[in-house]
Amino acid sequence: MPQFWLEDFIPQLFWLVVAFALFYLLLSRVTLPRIAEVLEARQSRIASDLDKAERLQAEAREALASYEATLAEARNTAQTLLAERLAGVTAEADRKQAALAERLQKEATAAAERIAGSRERALADMSHVAAELAQSAVERLIGVRLGVAEARAAVAQGGGGGG
Amino acid sequence: MAAERQIGHDSPMHQFVIGRFGEFHVFGLDASLSKAAVFMFAAMAVVVLFLTLTVRGRALVPGRWQAVTELWYVFIADMVKETVGGEGRRYFPFVFSLFSFIALCNLIGMLPYSYTVTSHIAVTGILALMVFLLVTVIGFQRHGAHFLSFFVPKGVPAPLLLLVVPIEVLSYFMRPISHSVRLFANMTAGHTMLKVFGLFVVQMGVFGILPLALIVALTGLEVVIALLQAYVFTILTCLYLNDAIHLEH
């Protein structure tokens, strides 16, 4: 076997050591750092992109939260405004109704007073008429001319005594 | 010497003759260039060029070729991280170089008319010895003389230690042998088998179609073995590194 030809050992050893030393130096100093650089650049790029994405996501979440807060606030404001208006309107209506009721009450009272006045006046007229009637009746019946005062007292008495 | 080293061109072993392009000495060492040296440099050049050119664009979204390089890098980085842990980062370039060199030598060897550098025990032996020395040095550097406790398993009764410690020591020194022979034997056996079936194709005439079909299937298998053996060599290196760094036995 040519593999065991001893005279070929030393030249192979020599060139292998020389070539491998050169190869190792070239790879470890130049080639491998260059590849590592490319891989690291990608790694850091991916990391920074992930970072950015995370930041943007946080921002979006924040924006959504603030939007929701604004919306809730607006809804609240609307509700209070509505309630206020409703209260105002109700109070106004109540007030108007009360005023109306008062006015009606007043009118009713005035009307009652008027009626009472009229009745009194009518009654007074009636007793006057009755007294005159009584005067003339007594004059005609017995020829006695009653004084006005007497006739009135008699009418008042008769009226009071269940006439 | 040369006379008895002749191997016929029709021998399945002829592919493993590395030859030499003239004699060449450095500091008295025989440094003659051969097929082996040429293919070693070829494999390393392919690795360096491929890795350099594919990440030249430094694309954020990798293209097809850059993805291969990144996958290759991450595959070894994960292997080191999982078997050795955080302290293994320092040895990542070494493990990566080892894997890439062996994988490319094995794969280039699958091309017709090429040569498989890792089919020589001299090469795999040096690689395994390199790993063995590195691991031993790291062990003693990190733990000093305490590293010797690696050979004394915990919870073993004292009388049994007389038996266990020599076995542990022996198995430790057997590591580079099994480490190197596994790769060398796999590569040699695979290529020899392909060559033998190739000779059958020529000798069997019309019926040569049968071994030819077999060769096609076996070539596929050999490509898998080429990558698998590179992986095995590398993961064993990681396991040895882990043993030396984390002295738990």
Side-chain angles (χ1 to χ4, degrees):
Chain A
M1 271 172 94
Q3 280 93 334
F4 297 119
W5 293 356
L6 291 178
E7 71 270 18
D8 284 340
F9 273 42
I10 298 295
Q12 289 195 81
L13 183 150
F14 177 84
W15 287 115
L16 179 63
V17 170
V18 168
F20 196 80
L22 206 70
F23 184 59
Y24 173 75
L25 282 177
L26 211 59
L27 282 184
S28 63
R29 296 282 155 85
V30 184
T31 314
L32 293 178
R34 209 172 285 177
I35 300 170
E37 210 173 277
V38 171
L39 290 172
E40 268 161 30
R42 174 167 325 127
Q43 204 61 44
S44 69
R45 173 68 186 270
I46 288 171
S48 87
D49 278 4
L50 274 179
D51 209 45
K52 199 164 143 196
E54 215 160 275
R55 216 176 49 242
L56 286 177
Q57 200 178 20
E59 261 170 39
R61 218 178 287 129
E62 220 165 84
L64 184 69
S66 89
Y67 161 77
E68 266 169 8
T70 313
L71 196 69
E73 200 187 300
R75 197 175 291 140
N76 263 350
T77 314
Q79 222 116 41
T80 33
L81 220 60
L82 191 68
E84 253 168 41
R85 264 310 145 75
L86 204 62
V89 168
T90 313
E92 175 83 10
D94 281 354
R95 203 170 49 72
K96 275 188 178 162
Q97 202 177 7
L100 183 67
E102 205 182 338
R103 210 184 69 213
L104 286 178
Q105 185 69 42
K106 227 182 267 170
E107 274 173 16
T109 317
E113 267 168 20
R114 242 187 356 261
I115 289 168
S118 300
R119 195 164 133 242
E120 255 163 47
R121 239 187 349 269
L123 276 178
D125 281 351
M126 206 148 75
S127 64
H128 193 63
V129 169
E132 271 177 18
L133 199 62
Q135 238 178 337
S136 63
V138 167
E139 197 180 343
R140 242 186 244 172
L141 284 173
I142 57 173
V144 178
R145 178 125 184 127
L146 281 177
V148 175
E150 278 166 321
R152 279 197 187 164
V155 169
Q157 202 183 353
Chain B
M1 168 172 104
E4 65 172 305
R5 294 301 195 200
Q6 287 305 321
I7 283 190
H9 279 264
D10 54 349
S11 161
M13 287 299 160
H14 183 262
Q15 57 177 323
F16 300 119
V17 176
I18 61 172
R20 57 181 61 202
F21 314 134
E23 295 283 332
F24 181 56
H25 287 262
V26 178
F27 301 125
L29 268 176
D30 184 3
S32 304
L33 282 165
S34 61
K35 242 167 42 172
V38 169
F39 277 93
M40 278 175 206
F41 279 108
M44 292 171 178
V46 167
V47 172
V48 171
L49 283 178
F50 183 89
L51 294 180
T52 308
L53 292 179
T54 49
V55 297
R56 200 181 34 175
R58 292 161 185 265
L60 204 61
V61 178
R64 206 173 292 189
W65 295 108
Q66 191 181 325
V68 172
T69 295
E70 288 179 8
L71 209 68
W72 185 347
Y73 182 98
V74 171
F75 173 64
I76 303 296
D78 283 351
M79 189 201 290
V80 171
K81 204 194 300 170
E82 274 161 29
T83 48
V84 190
E87 289 111 319
R89 275 186 79 87
R90 282 185 59 196
Y91 309 108
F92 166 71
F94 175 72
V95 175
F96 188 93
S97 306
L98 207 56
F99 174 79
S100 307
F101 176 64
I102 295 170
L104 260 291
C105 283
N106 293 354
L107 286 176
I108 287 176
M110 291 311 299
L111 296 174
Y113 300 107
S114 70
Y115 164 73
T116 314
V117 178
T118 44
S119 66
H120 268 243
I121 185 73
V123 171
T124 61
I126 291 159
L127 291 174
L129 212 60
M130 218 151 63
V131 172
F132 178 77
L133 289 177
L134 179 77
V135 164
T136 310
V137 167
I138 288 170
F140 277 111
Q141 240 175 19
R142 282 191 168 248
H143 309 288
H146 192 61
F147 183 56
L148 291 173
S149 74
F150 181 73
F151 301 115
V152 187
K154 284 195 189 76
V156 176
L160 264 183
L161 280 179
L162 280 173
L163 196 66
V164 170
V165 171
I167 290 174
E168 287 287 335
V169 172
L170 190 68
S171 83
Y172 188 77
F173 284 95
M174 285 295 282
R175 275 176 174 187
I177 298 171
S178 66
H179 204 185
S180 58
V181 167
R182 185 178 297 108
L183 179 58
F184 146 71
N186 266 287
M187 289 304 121
T188 301
H191 285 273
T192 307
M193 185 170 61
L194 286 179
K195 210 58 132 201
V196 168
F197 281 111
L199 289 173
F200 285 168
V201 175
V202 177
Q203 288 164 359
M204 286 168 72
V206 179
F207 299 104
I209 191 81
L210 292 171
L212 185 64
L214 206 60
I215 284 179
V216 172
L218 284 176
T219 302
L221 182 71
E222 282 301 314
V223 171
V224 174
I225 288 176
L227 288 170
L228 196 69
Q229 285 305 319
Y231 172 76
V232 168
F233 197 96
T234 317
I235 195 118
L236 280 171
T237 303
C238 287
L239 289 174
Y240 296 161
L241 276 171
N242 183 48
D243 278 348
I245 291 170
H246 305 110
L247 203 51
E248 289 146 12
H249 199 66

